[in-house]
Amino acid sequence: MTTETRRAEFHDAVAAHRLKTGSARSDRPLRVVGVLLMLVGVVGAFVAYNASLSQDDLRDIASSQVLATAFATVAIAGVGFYIAAALAQVLRLWLLRQLVEGQARTDQLAEALRPVERTEAADVRS
């Protein structure tokens, strides 16, 4: 079975069960905030580093290093927001797949047990 065939079957199964497939409202804004924080953090750290190169006083250099470290922390927080949103989307898709496969297995089991129920009912009546 090819990947495209499996993907088409999955889409058909989701449509048949009428499950919500959209992403959460907070995913896209979290990713955008994450990217913006990463950009601000990297650019700010680079600017603080360049500003420290032109300074002679050790206290000013230390202040610029603290500022660069703070911007690096902002960039790391942005990475956290981005990864959290991406991971939430992947886990949502995984859960949807589990729901569809579980429902298919339940339907298959129910269908397999139906003839047994009919024959048992006929045996009880006799």
Side-chain angles (χ1 to χ4, degrees), residues 12-57:
D12 293 342
V14 169
H17 292 294
R18 297 180 186 162
L19 298 171
K20 287 175 61 175
T21 59
S23 63
R25 287 185 224 166
S26 62
D27 281 352
R28 189 166 183 90
L30 273 178
R31 280 187 168 188
V32 169
V33 166
V35 168
L36 289 176
L37 286 175
M38 284 187 281
L39 289 174
V40 166
V42 169
V43 170
F46 183 72
V47 168
Y49 169 74
N50 276 339
S52 73
L53 292 177
S54 64
Q55 296 171 347
D56 293 328
D57 188 13

Side-chain angles (χ1 to χ4, degrees), residues 59-77:
R59 291 174 291 185
D60 293 336
I61 293 172
S63 295
S64 294
Q65 288 175 346
V66 168
L67 185 60
T69 304
F71 276 120
T73 304
V74 168
I76 291 171

Side-chain angles (χ1 to χ4, degrees), residues 6 10 92-102:
R6 290 184 69 195
F10 178 71
R92 197 174 298 109
L93 178 65
W94 177 78
L95 181 61
L96 181 63
R97 193 189 101 221
Q98 292 295 324
L99 283 170
V100 168
E101 286 179 359

Side-chain angles (χ1 to χ4, degrees), residues 73-121:
T73 304
V74 168
I76 291 171
V79 169
F81 279 120
Y82 187 84
I83 288 176
L87 189 60
Q89 184 177 6
V90 168
L91 289 175
R92 197 174 298 109
L93 178 65
W94 177 78
L95 181 61
L96 181 63
R97 193 189 101 221
Q98 292 295 324
L99 283 170
V100 168
E101 286 179 359
Q103 187 64 40
R105 286 186 186 127
T106 303
D107 292 344
Q108 184 182 19
L109 182 62
E111 190 63 35
L113 291 176
R114 281 192 185 155
V116 172
E117 291 174 356
R118 290 181 188 147
T119 59
E120 287 178 1

